[in-house]
């Protein structure tokens, strides 16, 4: 018998178990006595050795939250004369907690109906297993919480492509719940089609399972939801492996990219179209001309190119403002399209310049079409408030054939033909001839050089000021942009759009910029530098500088000389430089700006957003103001893309500590949006009109 007991104890020790024994009194567990043998007491954190203790004392070692369950389990087994299995926690004297598992049977004196005498079984420590289970449970819960909370849809499949799991986002996007989708094929729960709505060659999850490798992000597909809606998505898949290297399934991650894809398409459209009229822009028109030229050279086709310049358009702009001019361009564009063949291509090339490509159209037919367009513009009447305007159009026509040299020369020829149409009386069509090129160049040069020199000699230049108004708070300092015009002895005021391109072409811009700087300094000197009677500080003036002037080595010294001669504080002058001019002269611009910035001058970057890498170089320039390109401001009240772009530019500008200016704010709806977006300044007819600057003449 002793031999058997020794072997039993060895077996229990090997299994890390000990005998669990109790003596019952009157069938009540709570009044029983618990016996521990050998190392059993160590399960309670007590020294090894035989131990006998009342059940109530033993119960003090049990965690309070487990006591009732342990007692009920044992008492129920005693009452039923049955066995029991139970797990509970004990607290050792060092306050550490340990898990114990017990398995025992009730024994009676005689048959099973007799009074129970006690329980006998085994007890062992399961702390390590419980900790492992809890760690695994925490990891599973953490994974589940993570999958529920991430912003992308997640679906897992088994090795056969059948759905195992959907997270919350996947449920919302697909329309399937986890329970409904479980067991269905992934092609049903995540139904994908291409951008045209056609079935895709192979589902991303199935491709992943077939190739046994991760499949990168695809951004050309659409998800067909359970209720039939199409949602643009990006999706990718990766295999799920077991520890032994067995392929268990795949995990597919996808997200809704409807907004991004719509924005991409809109930006792509904007890159090739004029946002005001909806016509293709100059860049895309040049692509079409290049294609026509290729077909002319390769296949001998004959096409025609029209260059159209609206007559009297500037009168509408000057009389009624840019909003009227914009509406006029929109109405004219729609009207002209009704007068053309389906194959003809109409484009907006500039402010009031349009281009037409007439495919497969010989010159005689092109002349007829051009005259129809000319007459339709002539018959068009534009009404704004109480004003009615009659317009005209000068059209240059050039043939595109196998002798044509290049797209650039075709456009130049059409432009020159248009110029000659204007010179010969306007509102007419001129067919380009080889002899026109030399004539147009010579006449153009003579005319503009002569007129600009005349303006210098007779002081025909005039300066105007347009307010730059601070939004959101009262500004103690006036801020005006200075704009130049030519007022000849006879005739209408000439806007810069007419003479600035010629001045740039014939190297006269530096002289004009110096004239403006000197005139502004004389004006500031005449006003004095003290606050006025209302306490308003001296005005600040924004002076435009051309790209040519940025490369003028002597301009910095000239400006400093004018400040000294007229007693001008540099802080009153802000120089405006266009973004494109800065890009073309970046190194010189940095040096020029740094020198004047040190004196106290401020700088405004004009037409911001029009360049290809606007933000890339912005931190390298000592700029105070960002003037957002008017092409983004116009129509901002109704164009969500422009609104988003302006919002982004404004936020980045503010992060960099710059003030932002919205130009071409022509009406109240536009002004309201500009205010809402938090721009600092506005400029345009909605906040202030042009007024003459008194020091313009005689400078």
């Amino acid at each position: 018998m002793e031999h058997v007991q020794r072997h039993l104890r060895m077996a229990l020790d090997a299994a890390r178990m000990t005998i669990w024994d109790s003596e019952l009194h009157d069938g009540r567990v709570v009044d029983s006595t618990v016996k521990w043998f050998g190392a059993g007491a160590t399960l309670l954190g007590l020294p090894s050795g035989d131990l006998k203790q009342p059940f109530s004392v033993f119960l003090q070692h049990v965690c309070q939250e487990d006591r009732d369950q342990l007692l009920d389990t044992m008492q129920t087994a005693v009452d039923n004369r049955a066995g029991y299995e139970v797990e509970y926690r004990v607290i050792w004297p060092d306050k550490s907690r340990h898990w114990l598992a017990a398995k025992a049977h009730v024994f009676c004196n005689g048959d099973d109906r007799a009074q129970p005498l006690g329980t006998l079984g085994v007890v062992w420590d399961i702390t390590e297993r419980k900790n492992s289970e809890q760690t695994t449970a925490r990891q599973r819960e953490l994974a589940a919480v993570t999958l529920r909370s991430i912003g992308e849809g997640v679906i897992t499949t088994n090795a056969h492509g059948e759905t195992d799991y959907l997270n919350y986002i996947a449920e919302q996007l697909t329309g399937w719940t986890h329970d409904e989708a479980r067991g269905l094929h992934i092609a049903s729960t995540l139904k994908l089609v291409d951008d045209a709505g056609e079935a895709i060659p192979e589902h991303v999850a199935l491709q992943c399972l077939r190739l046994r490798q991760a499949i990168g992000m695809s951004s050309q597909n659409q998800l067909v939801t359970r209720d039939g809606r199409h949602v643009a998505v990006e999706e990718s898949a990766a295999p799920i492996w077991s520890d032994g290297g067995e392929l268990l399934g795949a995990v597919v991650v996808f997200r809704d990219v409807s907004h991004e894809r719509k924005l991409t398409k809109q930006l792509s459209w904007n890159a090739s179209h004029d946002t005001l009229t909806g016509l293709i822009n100059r860049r895309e028109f040049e692509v079409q001309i290049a294609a026509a030229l290729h077909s002319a050279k390769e296949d001998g086709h004959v096409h025609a190119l029209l260059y159209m310049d609206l007559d009297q358009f500037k009168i509408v702009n000057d009389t009624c403002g840019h909003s009227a001019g914009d509406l006029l361009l929109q109405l004219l564009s729609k009207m002209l399209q009704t007068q053309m063949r389906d194959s003809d291509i109409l484009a907006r090339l500039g402010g009031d310049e349009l281009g037409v490509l007439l495919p497969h159209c010989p010159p005689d037919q092109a002349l007829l079409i051009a005259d129809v367009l000319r007459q339709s513009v002539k018959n068009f009447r534009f009404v704004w408030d109480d004003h009615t305007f009659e317009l005209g159009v000068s059209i240059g026509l050039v043939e595109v054939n196998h002798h044509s040299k290049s797209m650039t020369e075709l456009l130049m020829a059409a432009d020159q033909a248009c110029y000659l149409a204007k010179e010969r009386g306007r509102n007419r069509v001129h067919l380009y001839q080889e002899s026109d090129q030399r004539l147009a160049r010579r006449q153009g040069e003579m005319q503009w050089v002569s007129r600009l020199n005349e303006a210098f000699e007779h002081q025909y230049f005039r300066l105007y000021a347009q307010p730059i108004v601070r939004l959101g708070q009262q500004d103690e300092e006036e801020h005006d942009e200075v704009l130049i015009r030519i007022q000849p002895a006879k005739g209408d005021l000439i806007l810069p759009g007419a003479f600035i391109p010629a001045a740039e072409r014939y190297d006269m811009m530096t002289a004009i910029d110096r004239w403006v700087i000197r005139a502004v300094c004389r004006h500031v000197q005449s006003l004095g530098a003290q606050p006025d009677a209302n306490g308003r500080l001296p005005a600040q003036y924004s002076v435009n500088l051309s790209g040519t002037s940025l490369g003028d080595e002597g301009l910095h010294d000239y400006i400093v000389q004018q400040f000294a001669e007229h007693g001008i504080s540099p802080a009153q002058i802000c120089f405006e430089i266009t973004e494109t001019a800065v890009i073309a002269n970046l190194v010189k611009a940095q040096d020029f700006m740094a020198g004047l910035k040190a004196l106290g001058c401020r700088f405004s970057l004009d037409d911001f957003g029009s360049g290809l890498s606007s933000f890339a170089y912005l931190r390298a320039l000592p700029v105070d103001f960002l003037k957002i390109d008017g092409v983004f401001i116009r129509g901002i009240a109704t164009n969500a893309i422009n609104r988003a772009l302006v919002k982004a530019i404004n936020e980045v500008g503010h992060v960099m500590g710059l003030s932002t200016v919205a130009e071409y704010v022509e009406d109240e709806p536009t002004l309201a949006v500009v205010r809402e977006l938090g721009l600092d300044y506005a400029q345009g007819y909605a906040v202030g009109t042009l007024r003459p600057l008194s020091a313009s003449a005689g400078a």
Side-chain angles (χ1 to χ4, degrees):
M1 184 66 178
E2 184 178 339
H3 175 73
V4 173
Q5 289 180 343
R6 186 168 63 252
H7 279 279
L8 176 60
R9 290 199 175 213
M10 290 175 63
L12 289 172
D13 289 343
R16 302 177 69 180
M17 294 180 174
T18 190
I19 294 174
W20 170 253
D21 188 11
S22 68
E23 295 177 356
L24 292 168
H25 305 285
D26 300 325
R28 287 169 51 83
V29 173
V30 72
D31 297 328
S32 67
T33 301
V34 179
K35 297 178 182 179
W36 301 92
F37 299 97
T42 61
L43 295 177
L44 300 180
L46 302 176
S48 180
D50 294 346
L51 175 66
K52 186 175 182 179
Q53 57 186 177
F55 190 87
S56 59
V57 174
F58 156 71
L59 211 56
Q60 296 301 312
H61 293 278
V62 178
C63 289
Q64 186 171 359
E65 53 266 40
D66 293 348
R67 292 173 186 173
D68 290 343
Q69 179 189 2
L70 175 62
L71 185 59
D72 289 345
T73 300
M74 294 179 65
Q75 188 63 57
T76 299
V78 168
D79 293 342
N80 295 331
R81 278 72 168 171
Y84 67 85
E85 294 182 15
V86 68
E87 295 177 351
Y88 58 94
R89 289 165 293 178
V90 295
I91 302 177
W92 285 16
D94 62 3
K95 305 302 182 183
S96 61
R97 294 191 176 204
H98 299 260
W99 277 93
L100 301 181
K103 186 174 183 180
H105 289 277
V106 177
F107 62 89
C108 305
N109 186 12
D111 58 34
D112 291 341
R113 293 186 298 276
Q115 181 72 24
L117 298 179
T119 63
L120 180 62
V122 291
V123 61
W124 65 98
D125 190 308
I126 58 169
T127 301
E128 185 176 345
R129 174 172 67 82
K130 279 293 187 180
N131 287 341
S132 177
E133 289 176 354
Q134 289 176 349
T135 299
T136 301
R138 282 196 300 269
Q139 290 174 342
R140 286 178 177 170
E141 180 61 23
L142 178 60
V145 169
T146 301
L147 287 173
R148 286 195 300 270
S149 61
I150 63 176
E152 297 179 328
V154 178
I155 298 180
T156 61
T157 76
N158 60 20
H160 303 293
E162 296 166 340
T163 305
D164 280 338
Y165 170 83
L166 285 80
N167 73 344
Y168 174 76
I169 298 297
E171 290 180 328
Q172 296 299 303
L173 287 175
T174 65
W176 291 93
T177 67
H178 168 73
D179 294 336
E180 292 171 331
R182 187 174 179 83
L184 295 180
H185 196 273
I186 185 67
S188 298
T189 52
L190 185 66
K191 184 178 179 180
L192 298 174
V193 296
D194 64 22
D195 218 15
E198 302 295 329
I200 59 175
E202 185 176 26
H203 197 285
V204 63
L206 302 183
Q207 187 179 8
C208 170
L209 294 172
R210 176 174 61 82
L211 298 177
R212 302 168 69 86
Q213 67 182 32
I215 304 301
M217 191 72 72
S218 170
S219 59
Q220 301 301 321
N221 294 333
Q222 298 184 59
L223 162 67
V224 182
T225 66
R226 190 177 182 183
D227 59 5
R229 293 180 298 107
H230 284 227
V231 179
V233 293
E234 284 183 346
E235 76 281 354
S236 61
I240 302 173
W241 303 99
S242 70
D243 292 339
E246 179 186 0
L247 181 63
L248 301 178
V251 56
V252 181
V253 179
F254 59 101
R255 67 187 187 97
D256 183 350
V257 293
S258 301
H259 177 70
E260 292 94 326
R261 202 169 293 178
K262 181 180 179 182
L263 181 61
T264 299
K265 288 181 179 179
Q266 183 66 48
L267 290 174
S268 176
W269 187 91
N270 284 351
S272 60
H273 288 76
D274 171 53
T275 55
L276 176 64
T277 61
L279 303 177
I280 64 171
N281 59 20
R282 189 183 192 97
R283 181 187 303 172
E284 180 62 21
F285 191 59
E286 290 176 354
V287 172
Q288 299 293 336
I289 297 172
L293 180 60
H294 181 268
S295 77
K297 289 186 174 295
E298 295 296 321
D299 304 318
H301 296 155
V302 176
H303 316 289
L305 173 63
L306 307 182
Y307 199 101
M308 307 170 60
D309 193 322
L310 297 175
D311 303 326
Q312 313 305 321
F313 177 78
K314 289 182 176 60
I315 294 178
V316 176
N317 259 354
D318 293 345
T319 305
C320 304
H322 289 290
S323 296
D326 289 349
L327 178 61
L328 171 57
L329 286 172
Q330 291 170 333
L331 295 175
L332 271 178
S333 299
K334 288 183 173 62
M335 184 274 292
L336 288 172
Q337 286 176 307
T338 65
Q339 307 297 314
M340 297 163 55
R341 305 172 304 175
D342 291 340
S343 60
D344 297 340
I345 300 169
L346 177 64
R348 186 184 179 196
L349 306 182
D352 59 351
E353 298 170 346
L354 302 173
V356 179
L357 181 62
L358 304 174
H360 307 288
C361 187
D364 54 349
Q365 184 181 356
L367 280 169
L368 294 175
I369 294 175
D371 199 60
V372 168
L373 297 178
R374 182 198 62 78
Q375 192 61 47
S376 63
V377 173
K378 181 66 176 175
N379 295 336
F380 183 79
R381 295 294 181 273
F382 178 66
V383 179
W384 182 269
D385 293 336
D386 297 330
H387 302 283
T388 300
F389 297 93
E390 179 179 336
L391 303 170
V393 62
S394 300
I395 303 177
L397 189 159
V398 62
E399 180 181 352
V400 183
N401 55 38
H402 67 282
H403 295 299
S404 301
K405 294 180 181 179
S406 69
M407 178 271 296
T408 301
E409 290 197 6
L410 282 170
L411 274 173
M412 288 177 59
D415 185 16
Q416 289 160 2
C418 180
Y419 173 80
L420 289 175
K422 280 183 172 292
E423 285 294 297
R424 293 173 181 176
R426 300 179 182 268
N427 191 38
R428 63 185 61 228
V429 180
H430 181 81
L431 176 62
Y432 175 81
Q433 305 293 333
E434 284 295 330
S435 60
D436 290 343
Q437 186 172 359
R438 291 188 302 273
L439 175 63
R441 184 181 298 118
R442 184 166 60 252
Q443 289 180 336
E445 289 176 357
M446 293 302 294
Q447 179 192 38
W448 279 113
V449 170
S450 173
R451 295 179 73 177
L452 288 171
N453 284 330
E454 185 181 19
F456 277 113
E457 182 180 353
H458 297 287
Q459 298 296 331
Y460 288 159
F461 287 120
R462 296 290 182 270
L463 293 185
Y464 286 77
Q466 186 173 38
I468 301 174
V469 178
R470 189 175 186 87
L471 304 176
Q473 65 184 55
Q474 187 68 29
D475 196 5
E476 294 182 353
E477 178 186 68
E478 288 186 6
H479 191 167
D480 293 325
E481 179 181 1
V482 178
L483 303 169
I484 190 169
R485 305 286 189 265
I486 294 178
Q487 179 60 70
K490 296 181 180 180
D492 298 329
L493 195 69
I494 301 175
L495 301 180
F499 62 86
I500 292 296
E504 290 176 338
R505 188 177 304 129
Y506 305 121
D507 298 324
M508 302 186 74
M509 272 311 303
T510 301
I512 292 176
D513 286 347
R514 291 189 177 212
W515 186 94
V516 172
I517 292 167
R518 182 171 177 81
V520 170
C521 287
R522 288 180 58 130
H523 175 72
V524 174
Q525 182 186 40
S526 70
L527 297 177
Q530 301 301 319
D532 64 15
N534 297 320
R536 294 179 66 86
L537 296 174
Q540 181 176 109
Y541 295 94
S542 286
V543 177
N544 291 279
L545 289 181
S546 65
T548 306
S549 291
L550 286 180
D552 178 9
E553 300 291 344
L555 183 61
H556 175 275
D557 292 341
Y558 179 81
I559 292 172
V560 173
Q561 177 190 343
Q562 295 305 310
F563 288 166
E565 181 179 332
H566 296 92
I568 304 301
S569 168
Q572 286 188 258
I573 305 300
C574 175
F575 290 106
E576 288 199 11
I577 307 174
T578 64
E579 180 184 354
T580 50
V582 168
I583 295 173
N585 303 273
L586 186 56
V587 176
K588 289 185 177 180
Q590 287 175 313
D591 294 340
F592 176 80
M593 295 170 72
L596 291 179
K597 183 82 172 177
L599 295 178
C601 294
R602 287 189 268 188
F603 283 89
S604 177
L605 199 57
D606 200 5
D607 295 341
F608 187 79
S610 62
L612 300 177
S613 55
S614 298
F615 293 112
Y617 58 82
L618 186 54
R619 281 198 278 182
L621 298 171
V623 174
D624 302 279
F625 301 92
L626 286 186
K627 292 191 76 171
I628 300 174
D629 195 339
V631 72
F632 301 129
I633 301 298
R634 290 179 179 177
I636 195 175
T638 56
N639 188 314
I641 301 299
N642 284 8
R643 185 188 184 108
L645 290 170
V646 172
K647 183 175 185 289
I649 294 173
N650 182 59
E651 290 175 352
V652 172
H654 284 172
V655 168
M656 298 182 72
L658 308 179
S659 296
T660 52
V661 184
E663 54 184 357
Y664 292 99
V665 179
E666 306 297 340
D667 50 46
E668 285 300 325
T670 301
L671 179 59
V673 174
V674 167
R675 287 185 187 276
E676 179 187 339
L677 294 180
L679 275 77
D680 301 302
Y681 295 87
Q683 182 179 2
Y685 282 94
V687 295
T689 58
L690 289 176
R691 67 179 189 277
L693 204 65
S694 60
S696 296

